[in-house]
Structures are given as C-alpha cells and as structure tokens.
Amino acid sequence: MAATALDSEITKSDKYSILLPTYNERENLPIIIWLIVKCLDTSGYDYEVIIIDDGSPDGTQDIAKQLQKIYGSNKIILRPREKKLGLGTAYIHGMKHATGNFIIIMDADLSHHPKFIPKFIELQREHDLDVVSGTRYKDDGGVHGWDFKRKLISRTANFITQMLLRPGASDLTGSFRLYKKDVLQKLIDSCVSKGYVFQMEMIIRARQLDYTIGEVPITFVDRVYGESKLGGSEIIQFAKALLYLFATT
Amino acid sequence: MTKLLEWVSVLSAFVAVWYSLVAGYVKHPMIEKNMTLVIVSPLIFVILFGLYAVSVILYRVFTFNNCEDAAKELQEEIKEARRDLQEKGLRW
C-alpha cells in the first residue's frame, strides 16, 4: 500500500508537453487539438500543447490563437517562429518553453492519432523507459493510404536499416514519440542530421547512449488533407544518413 | 566499434577461412573433392541471402496492415470535431 501511495505521488507530478511543429496546417490544427483534448482529458494526465508554427502564410497562427481562447492558455501555448527553420530546432525551441518533465512529439497532419498517447505513457511508467516510439511496422501497427510501391520502398528501406544498424526499434523514421525531457535534450545535442532523417538519428543515438526504448504499435493514416511526400530526393537523403550512421556509430 | 567495423571484421573472418581452403593451406580429401563448391560458396551464400531478403520483404509488404477501421474512425471524428468546434465559436 505504501509503495502504491508513493507511486501515485510521483506520477501525479508528471506533466506531458506535446510539441506540435506546424507549417500550413490551418485545416488540420483545430482537429488535432480537439482530438488531443478529447483523448487526454478523459485519461486525467496533466498536459500542455506547444504549437510551434514556422510563419505559415495560410493563417495557421490565427487559428491557433482562436484555439487558445477556446481551450485556455495553460493548455495551448503558442511559440511561433518567423520562418521555416527545420524540425530539430523546432523541438529545441518548443522545449525551452515546456513545463512538463516528459515531451511528446507528433505530426499535426492527423497521421498520428492522440489516442495512442495514453498507451505511450502507460508503457513508459511500467518500465521507466527513456524513450517510447510509435511503430507502424509491428503487431497491430500499420499505415492507411499507401500503395504497393510506397509499401515496398518502406519495407525495403526498413529491412536494410535493421540489418545494417540493428537499432533496437522497428520504426526509425516515424515521428510519434515520447521522451524524458533531459533525454530528448541530450539526443538533440548529439544529432547532426537535418530534415526527416533526424528521427532516425535520434533513435540510433539513443541506442548508442544506452537509453531504454519501448515501442507501441500505431496506426498511421496518411495525410487526409494535403500532399504526402516521398520522392527521389528523400530516398537519397535517407541512404546518405544510413551510410553515415553505419560508418560512425 | 562502429557497425561498419563490425561488418568488416566478420567479413574478413569469413574471407580468411574461405581463402585458406581455396589456396590449399588447409588440406583434406573432402575439400579437394568439393573444390568447385568451395570456390563458388560465397556466391551461393549471397544468392540465398538475396532470396531470403526478397521473400521477407514481400511477405511484409503483403501483410502490411491497411488500417481501414482507423481511417473510418478518423473521418467520423473529424466530422464530430468540426461540429463541436463550430459550436465553440471557431471560425475557419
């Protein structure tokens, strides 16, 4: 009894800061916020959402301000930047203003559903993990809206990466994750790559620094609004990052 | 040790064993009888591994979960969110 009372004391003080980097997401932003509030208010966890908008020309920030009025400025925090400056720096920028001891990162384009956040938190608490990563490649995880070619590229890239890097996590390029705040800070400091391969490097560095990693299968519904991107230049970026990490870690 | 060095060391060990058999440093009637097999064995290994890789990848492509239910659920939630946010006074 004493142990459980103590546990609940510790977990009561846990706070989760959700970082949402946005660029032209005026259609998606209200819906993702609504979903986060719906999924987390019922779970009872203490949380805040930090919106980091990189100067979207479509009025994302105006929508964000309205949402702040609706849900309160203790729940919705706006930390815009003037122009597009990249994902890694967006996390650093958001983290500076985060009051939680855990950071959750996710995409604002509705491909990541907040209903998985309570599962991330439960798994983290169960094993006191440093990182919990959502995975599209295991058990009930999956992807909606990908054709054969996209699946083939994705599975092949994943197979090669698993073979060369043995990262101890099945989804390296996903960006739906929970980190202890100090762990995320250290990982960002040790990462050199930019763009979406940054997510892959974060997990590899986590393994290198002996952090514990857990995985939660997630369903990934590819962009409902707007275009999803996977072109030749992304594949080349990925291959370069893979070889770099293969030779240096 | 980096992953590259791990690969290099394991590969060198295999090459060393293979070369010692081919060049005749290790002598045994069994080896001499099957010399052609010994010589082409790395190629056979590469081909077998390639077949393994292709079958694993294709299996995983065809069993990739399509998440139809998750997509439907999300569409419903989007409608609900739009209604609710409109009531709360969001203009967008």
Side-chain angles (χ1 to χ4, degrees):
Chain A
M1 277 309 278
T4 46
L6 184 68
D7 282 349
S8 64
E9 272 313 301
I10 296 165
T11 51
K12 231 181 237 170
S13 62
D14 282 341
K15 184 170 179 180
Y16 299 87
S17 300
I18 301 168
L19 304 188
L20 269 188
T22 59
Y23 187 75
N24 288 347
E25 298 286 1
R26 63 170 294 140
E27 286 298 320
N28 293 321
L29 187 62
I31 293 159
I32 190 71
I33 297 290
W34 186 86
L35 286 170
I36 289 173
V37 171
K38 181 189 164 197
C39 296
L40 288 182
D41 277 0
T42 49
S43 70
Y45 296 119
D46 191 14
Y47 71 97
E48 63 186 3
V49 184
I50 301 176
I51 301 170
I52 306 135
D53 185 67
D54 276 4
S56 301
D58 74 339
T60 302
Q61 285 180 41
D62 169 57
I63 296 286
K65 277 177 200 149
Q66 290 189 51
L67 288 163
Q68 193 179 35
K69 278 201 194 104
I70 293 171
Y71 292 110
S73 55
N74 58 330
K75 280 264 175 292
I76 312 287
I77 293 148
L78 311 181
R79 292 290 174 256
R81 303 190 296 175
E82 276 184 14
K83 56 178 171 44
K84 242 186 154 178
L85 293 166
L87 216 48
T89 57
Y91 294 146
I92 295 168
H93 182 78
M95 236 193 319
K96 266 190 237 154
H97 306 280
T99 59
N101 52 334
F102 288 96
I103 306 283
I104 292 163
I105 59 172
M106 64 189 295
D107 292 346
D109 64 3
L110 305 179
S111 54
H112 296 149
H113 199 296
K115 70 183 172 193
F116 295 106
I117 293 175
K119 293 186 183 167
F120 282 38
I121 295 173
E122 282 159 31
L123 186 71
Q124 191 285 325
R125 287 187 175 177
E126 214 175 298
H127 308 283
D128 189 30
L129 297 165
D130 297 312
V131 183
V132 177
S133 175
T135 178
R136 296 162 289 182
Y137 300 116
K138 258 167 79 172
D139 305 329
D140 298 332
V143 172
H144 182 266
W146 279 10
D147 59 7
F148 177 80
K149 189 183 152 206
R150 184 79 194 256
K151 285 179 180 174
L152 184 65
I153 293 171
S154 168
R155 284 298 198 184
T156 307
N158 193 260
F159 183 87
I160 295 170
T161 315
Q162 293 295 334
M163 192 174 70
L164 294 185
L165 302 179
R166 298 195 307 280
S170 57
D171 195 339
L172 302 184
T173 49
S175 50
F176 193 4
R177 292 178 187 157
L178 178 152
Y179 296 90
K180 283 181 182 166
K181 191 180 181 183
D182 55 318
V183 169
L184 180 60
Q185 183 69 59
K186 282 202 197 96
L187 288 175
I188 289 176
D189 290 343
S190 60
C191 278
V192 292
S193 50
K194 301 267 175 286
Y196 93 110
V197 290
F198 171 76
Q199 306 294 356
M200 170 159 84
E201 189 175 354
M202 295 270 274
I203 283 286
I204 301 298
R205 299 285 174 205
R207 184 210 63 202
Q208 203 184 14
L209 297 167
D210 279 330
Y211 288 128
T212 50
I213 305 169
E215 291 194 296
V216 171
I218 58 159
T219 54
F220 180 98
V221 180
D222 210 355
R223 293 194 71 98
V224 179
Y225 303 106
E227 276 290 295
S228 164
K229 55 199 183 315
L230 179 75
S233 80
E234 271 84 18
I235 294 172
I236 290 167
Q237 244 189 74
F238 179 85
K240 274 189 187 161
L242 179 61
L243 290 177
Y244 171 76
L245 292 169
F246 179 60
T248 59
T249 67
Chain B
M1 190 152 68
T2 65
K3 295 288 163 199
L4 176 63
L5 282 177
E6 281 178 28
W7 277 74
V8 169
S9 41
V10 171
L11 278 180
S12 335
F14 273 106
V15 169
V17 169
W18 178 76
Y19 185 74
S20 64
L21 297 181
V22 172
Y25 293 108
V26 182
K27 285 201 165 63
H28 191 278
M30 274 290 279
I31 298 166
E32 275 148 40
K33 234 205 260 164
N34 299 302
M35 193 40 99
T36 352
L37 189 64
V38 171
I39 292 172
V40 297
S41 61
L43 188 67
I44 293 172
F45 181 77
V46 168
I47 292 170
L48 284 179
F49 181 76
L51 286 174
Y52 163 78
V54 167
S55 17
V56 167
I57 290 170
L58 284 179
Y59 175 77
R60 287 179 183 166
V61 168
F62 288 115
T63 55
F64 212 146
N65 189 352
N66 272 322
C67 308
E68 300 296 342
D69 293 342
K72 262 185 227 133
E73 187 193 328
L74 180 63
Q75 286 306 332
E76 287 305 309
E77 284 176 317
I78 289 173
K79 277 183 214 152
E80 205 187 325
R82 284 184 179 280
R83 264 199 307 274
D84 188 45
L85 285 164
Q86 210 116 49
E87 276 169 31
K88 287 191 163 82
L90 186 81
R91 298 275 158 269
W92 101 96

